[in-house]
Amino acid sequence: VFVFTLVLHADVDAFFASVERRDDPRLTGCPLIVGTHVVMAASYEARAFGIHGGMREREARRRCPDAVWVPPRSGAYMQASRDVFAVFRDVAAIVEPGSLEEAFLDMADARDSDPHALAVALRARVRDEVGLPLTVGAARSKVLAKLASRAAKPEGVKVIPPEAERAFLDPLNVEDLWGVGPKTAGKLHRAGITTVAELARRSLANVSDILGKASGREVHALAAGRDLRPVQPPGPPRSFGASTAYVRASMTLTELRQVLDGLVVRACERMRAKGYRARTVVVQLQFVEGPVVSRSVTLAQAIEDDGPFVTRAGAGSRPARGAAQAPGSVDHERRGGERR
DNA sequence: TCTGGGGTCCTAGGACCC
DNA sequence: TCTGGGGTCCTAGGACCC
């Protein structure tokens, strides 16, 4: 029985690939890859060959020469996302988007219902009304609901009732926890912690020594199955950005500035289309050797016109005090609003 | 022949103000 | 005049997520 809360995590399986398949049934059953030059999404058949998002085309073709490639159709994915979220909002009191294709649903209003039945019904509605396969996890908290849906993928339903939380968490590896990435996992491994059970046995002080205070507290709570973060509706976006990986060391400064200007304009167009203004522009450069370097400038007031940003980001002007601008590609363009 | 592109949040130090 | 604390803003970097 869910006494306080019931959270669902709903996630469309292989989203882009599933939309393509829905719109062209001939693509059903084969290894399907959406993308050009780089894998943006892979069907589960393609994933069986070890193909995943971000992989380069050459590597993907080596692993599965017979995969079918289709170019991305972002408009179709946006519309599919709106359709899926319309169903989410129809069944849940609060919907918190995680991305285009996934969301947390606060089902507090339906907490007397059977979680499994709710999840099955949601899956059926998305399949019938939008034509897309959905996986649903149900639990008391967001993290557990997320872990449940991950365990149930694809096209599944998994409920973790409160009395089963410990048994579900214990055998997981620490890197399976949502929020524990490669760096944090490495620190835990070096401290002799591999599984969530081992992590849960450590004291808060010990975990904080290993990971630092804030991160230690969060990870310690995750391992204990404690996650009090509520399902929240989305706030206004905090930043708009544009980025590209295609910058060569052989480019001249003038060519780099053209790339940079184009990125600033691209980000600003999307920002203005949504009705926001910005005060801060961040230029970020990721070097092939690894390091990421950023420089930012904050104006006194949010502005409508991106001209000043293009000038300050691209033309090498300097902030009032501080270091010179890095020559390179724009990465972020922060929104102003009231705060930044 | 090119190692995705879009985000979020946190931390730490310095400047500045009261 | 000196010391100290608290708060906010800005900048740079880091980690993580889909």
Side-chain angles (χ1 to χ4, degrees):
Chain A
V1 178
F2 290 87
V3 180
F4 298 109
T5 53
L6 172 58
V7 177
L8 301 188
H9 181 259
D11 196 344
V12 180
D13 304 317
F15 181 52
F16 295 173
S18 294
V19 172
E20 295 302 334
R21 208 164 252 181
R22 175 196 69 180
D23 295 346
D24 184 356
R26 289 174 303 173
L27 300 173
T28 303
C30 65
L32 175 62
I33 294 171
V34 178
T36 47
H37 310 305
V38 170
V39 177
M40 290 185 68
S43 73
Y44 278 84
E45 293 85 350
R47 291 181 200 189
F49 290 88
I51 293 167
H52 54 79
M55 184 177 282
R56 281 170 299 172
E57 179 173 3
R58 181 196 290 194
E59 175 65 16
R61 287 200 187 279
R62 189 184 68 74
R63 293 187 185 219
C64 182
D66 296 333
V68 177
W69 286 70
V70 298
R73 296 182 300 142
S74 58
Y77 311 144
M78 300 284 198
Q79 185 57 53
S81 176
R82 283 191 288 270
D83 295 342
V84 170
F85 272 79
V87 176
F88 291 169
R89 293 200 184 85
D90 197 41
V91 304
I94 307 172
V95 176
E96 178 180 331
S99 68
L100 274 185
E101 76 264 24
E102 70 174 289
F104 294 103
L105 281 61
D106 185 328
M107 306 297 287
D109 293 349
R111 62 175 158 239
D112 294 331
S113 309
D114 172 39
H116 191 268
L118 287 172
V120 168
L122 177 61
R123 215 157 68 80
R125 276 197 64 179
V126 170
R127 189 183 53 227
D128 295 345
E129 296 175 25
V130 192
L132 293 174
L134 190 74
T135 292
V136 183
R140 278 198 296 187
S141 68
K142 289 204 288 188
V143 165
L144 283 164
K146 170 85 183 173
L147 292 172
S149 75
R150 193 187 283 170
K153 273 192 163 300
E155 290 201 71
V157 163
K158 181 166 182 61
V159 179
I160 303 177
E163 64 274 14
E165 288 173 3
R166 206 56 263 158
F168 178 84
L169 284 169
D170 278 340
L172 295 180
N173 292 317
V174 289
E175 56 266 42
D176 294 332
L177 289 175
W178 194 50
V180 175
K183 300 285 185 182
T184 303
K187 288 178 190 171
L188 293 170
H189 291 165
R190 284 190 289 280
I193 301 170
T194 307
T195 66
V196 173
E198 289 162 358
L199 180 56
R201 279 198 293 271
R202 303 293 186 107
S203 68
L204 171 58
N206 184 211
V207 178
S208 294
D209 282 346
I210 298 165
L211 300 178
K213 200 173 170 186
S215 183
R217 195 181 316 127
E218 185 189 333
V219 169
H220 186 262
L222 289 180
R226 272 185 288 112
D227 173 25
L228 300 176
R229 290 173 295 185
V231 177
Q232 283 180 313
R238 305 186 64 82
S239 67
F240 289 85
S243 61
T244 180
Y246 305 113
V247 175
R248 281 169 217 78
S250 60
M251 280 182 163
T252 65
L253 206 52
T254 306
E255 287 169 330
L256 279 174
R257 283 174 182 156
Q258 282 173 4
V259 172
L260 197 48
D261 290 354
L263 290 169
V264 171
V265 168
R266 210 166 85 201
C268 284
E269 275 173 1
R270 268 192 292 124
M271 180 184 68
R272 269 196 304 268
K274 294 281 186 182
Y276 292 100
R277 298 186 301 171
R279 276 182 67 209
T280 302
V281 60
V282 181
V283 176
Q284 194 170 295
L285 204 55
Q286 158 102 54
F287 289 93
V288 182
E289 293 80 4
V292 177
V293 174
S294 70
R295 294 292 182 271
S296 68
V297 178
T298 299
L299 306 177
Q301 288 190 323
I303 54 172
E304 296 286 349
D305 183 3
D306 53 30
F309 282 148
V310 172
T311 303
R312 303 198 67 159
S317 65
R318 287 161 186 273
R321 51 171 192 276
Q325 295 290 309
S329 72
V330 157
D331 240 291
H332 288 91
E333 223 287 283
R334 289 226 170 123
R335 176 187 80 88
E338 304 78 26
R339 300 187 56 247
R340 301 197 66 175

